[in-house]
Amino acid sequence: MFFEKFRMDGQTAVVTGGGRGIGLACAEALAEAGARVVIIDRDEAVAESGRQALAGKGIEADALVLDVTDSAAVDKAAADIFAKHGRIDALVANAGIARTGTAAEDTPDELWLNVNDVNYNGVFWCNRTFGRYMLKAGHGAIVNIGSMSGYIANRPQLQTYYNASKAAVHHLTASLAVEWADRGVRVNAVAPTYIETEMTKSVVDKSMMDIWLRDTPMGRMGQPHEIASVVHFLACDASSLITGATVKADGGFTCW
Ligand code: NAD
């Protein structure tokens, strides 16, 4: 009976940026819990490779190509998913970009706008649109992927635009949670530490890695499945009393 709360049988779950990395691990976790999963990714090849990776594990998922910065396309995708599955129970708003390495004083408008467009606007468009379906049903759970960078300024890499976008996601999460709490829709976030994905592989070198690990009490990076299990908990009824929370999954990074 107790573990029934962790099951998501018959539910439909949408994961943005679900073609690889943390998003793909989340898709797998929610599918294992019984949900029908829809992967959204802006990159068609990545979306398809994610779908195939799940198929290789016996999970039949849908893959949709969509850029979350396009709010009209988000509306259309949600309508299509609802038309096909008849319900939308969970959203993992995970799609994000980093583009680290530019000092604040040198940040061009384009960089600031692009990172915030994906990481912040895109999260809001998805929360707003998929949230509408959940509010109508009086049931649903949203999990936004923030970052420990929403609490700290990373070192040594410079990324003011990224840090600010993730802090905004955390507060957006709390604000939506309050608005929707008495209408059956929970909104939470996860704030990961450095996770071994393409995103971190593309920026890290040996000297940077030494600093990252030294700054992490656990002394290691995280794996995508270590975020997916937290996301699963927040997406299912096991967390029925939790809303507006940003759960740090950071190996203790923000404690120092
Ligand atoms: P990743 O780059 O491996 O995967 C991100 C996925 O999102 C890619 O498949 C990409 O195609 C997709 N995507 C990017 N922009 C999109 C858009 N506009 N519309 C739709 N899809 C889009 O990254 P990851 O490491 O798996 O990160 C996933 C999330 O976790 C991001 O929000 C990231 O900021 C956050 N995060 C990552 C780390 C880390 O160390 N990897 C740490 C904290 C937070």
Side-chain angles (χ1 to χ4, degrees):
M1 182 65 186
F2 176 75
F3 282 103
E4 279 302 299
K5 292 175 166 186
F6 290 86
R7 296 296 309 170
M8 297 178 72
D9 299 290
Q11 298 193 16
T12 302
V14 177
V15 183
T16 71
R20 71 181 194 195
I22 293 170
L24 181 58
C26 292
E28 183 177 346
L30 300 185
E32 257 191 51
R36 172 77 201 196
V37 172
V38 181
I39 287 173
I40 284 175
D41 209 287
R42 71 171 168 193
D43 184 318
E44 189 171 1
V46 171
E48 179 53 21
S49 75
R51 194 193 65 72
Q52 283 180 17
L54 293 177
K57 295 179 175 183
I59 296 165
E60 197 189 314
D62 293 356
L64 264 182
V65 179
L66 164 71
D67 186 328
V68 296
T69 64
D70 182 343
S71 70
V74 171
D75 287 350
K76 163 106 178 49
D80 290 347
I81 293 166
F82 188 76
K84 181 168 179 190
H85 297 290
R87 55 192 293 172
I88 298 172
D89 303 277
L91 165 71
V92 183
N94 162 80
I97 56 173
R99 296 187 65 185
T100 62
T102 303
E105 68 273 26
D106 298 326
T107 301
D109 292 9
E110 179 276 328
L111 175 55
W112 177 271
L113 291 171
N114 178 226
V115 172
N116 279 279
D117 206 16
V118 179
N119 293 5
Y120 179 39
N121 293 346
V123 168
F124 180 65
W125 305 146
C126 291
N127 278 237
R128 181 183 66 180
T129 297
F130 289 99
R132 283 180 187 137
Y133 289 87
M134 296 176 190
L135 289 166
K136 208 165 173 192
H139 161 86
I142 295 175
V143 186
N144 295 320
I145 304 301
S147 173
M148 68 174 180
S149 307
Y151 294 104
I152 52 98
N154 303 64
R155 62 180 180 179
Q157 74 275 26
L158 302 172
Q159 50 180 42
T160 300
Y161 34 90
Y162 180 85
N163 301 343
S165 74
K166 292 299 187 177
V169 167
H170 300 168
H171 199 59
L172 172 68
T173 298
S175 303
L176 290 173
V178 168
E179 271 198 44
W180 296 346
D182 62 356
R183 295 158 73 191
V185 179
R186 298 184 297 108
V187 188
N188 291 293
V190 180
T193 182
Y194 297 113
I195 307 297
E196 277 192 47
T197 66
E198 294 303 318
M199 178 180 277
T200 43
K201 274 182 210 152
S202 67
V203 295
V204 74
D205 60 21
K206 167 85 175 76
S207 62
M208 196 183 280
M209 178 67 87
D210 288 346
I211 294 169
W212 288 4
L213 297 185
R214 196 189 63 208
D215 282 349
T216 311
M218 279 192 182
R220 66 173 179 87
M221 293 177 74
Q223 296 300 319
H225 70 82
E226 295 180 286
I227 302 306
S229 52
V230 183
V231 167
H232 162 236
F233 170 65
L234 293 172
C236 72
D237 283 348
S239 58
S240 53
L241 195 57
I242 302 178
T243 198
T246 296
V247 178
K248 295 174 183 175
D250 67 1
F253 196 106
T254 54
C255 296
W256 271 343

